[in-house]
Amino acid sequence: MMAVFAISVTPGAYAEAKTVPGEYLVLFKTRDKVMETEGRDRDVAVSVMLDFQSEYLAVRYGLEVKNSFSAISRSNGKGMFFVKSERASMDGKFEEKLLEELRADPFIEAVSPNEVQKMISTSVGISKP
């Protein structure tokens, strides 16, 4: 027996989205040299790229890298990271300045505050094999 579920966003969830202070998703611009490689060479190139970009975020902005998304990076040549700033989580003015600096960085394509979304899953039926 297999259950089928539909996931629906609660009405107004996007309007109710709350950000987690000091937590962000950071997306670097595409590294063409990574995309020129294939197979094992791409795995190595992505690993090196993520190491350098992670270090850059730590040294340049004081961010703690909590996670990197190597599968996404391997597919599109863009380093993607979940990062945290303790200082920004406690100081709203610092957070505004940090976001402004990250978004102005020529190596970074996008920065998004971590948002909490509430979702509901509902059963839509059961299918039998």
Side-chain angles (χ1 to χ4, degrees), residues 24 94-104 111-113:
Y24 317 98
F94 178 79
E95 182 172 44
E96 285 178 35
K97 183 180 176 193
L98 176 63
L99 280 169
E100 184 178 301
E101 288 178 11
L102 285 164
R103 289 178 174 148
V111 178
S112 175

Side-chain angles (χ1 to χ4, degrees), residues 7-9 11 26 31 38 68-72 74 99 101:
I7 297 181
S8 61
V9 178
V26 177
R31 300 294 304 177
E38 295 180 12
S68 63
F69 302 91
S70 59
I72 292 170
R74 188 180 195 293
L99 280 169
E101 288 178 11

Side-chain angles (χ1 to χ4, degrees), residues 27-101:
L27 181 67
F28 279 82
K29 292 181 178 176
T30 300
R31 300 294 304 177
D32 292 330
K33 291 292 184 189
V34 170
M35 296 308 293
E36 293 171 6
T37 62
E38 295 180 12
R40 174 110 173 92
D41 289 341
R42 182 171 290 182
D43 293 340
V44 171
V46 167
S47 179
V48 170
M49 175 188 75
L50 292 175
D51 285 346
F52 276 113
Q53 291 172 341
S54 176
E55 188 71 16
Y56 179 78
L57 291 170
V59 172
R60 174 78 172 90
Y61 297 104
L63 296 171
E64 179 184 357
V65 174
K66 302 301 267 180
N67 195 13
S68 63
F69 302 91
S70 59
I72 292 170
S73 300
R74 188 180 195 293
S75 70
N76 65 16
K78 299 178 180 190
M80 186 172 183
F81 300 88
F82 171 63
V83 298
K84 187 171 184 177
S85 167
E86 286 296 326
R87 184 173 173 194
S89 70
M90 298 181 281
D91 181 345
K93 287 189 185 277
F94 178 79
E95 182 172 44
E96 285 178 35
K97 183 180 176 193
L98 176 63
L99 280 169
E100 184 178 301
E101 288 178 11

Side-chain angles (χ1 to χ4, degrees), residues 5-8 119-123:
F5 293 94
I7 297 181
S8 61
M119 299 181 79
I120 300 173
S121 64
T122 56
S123 176

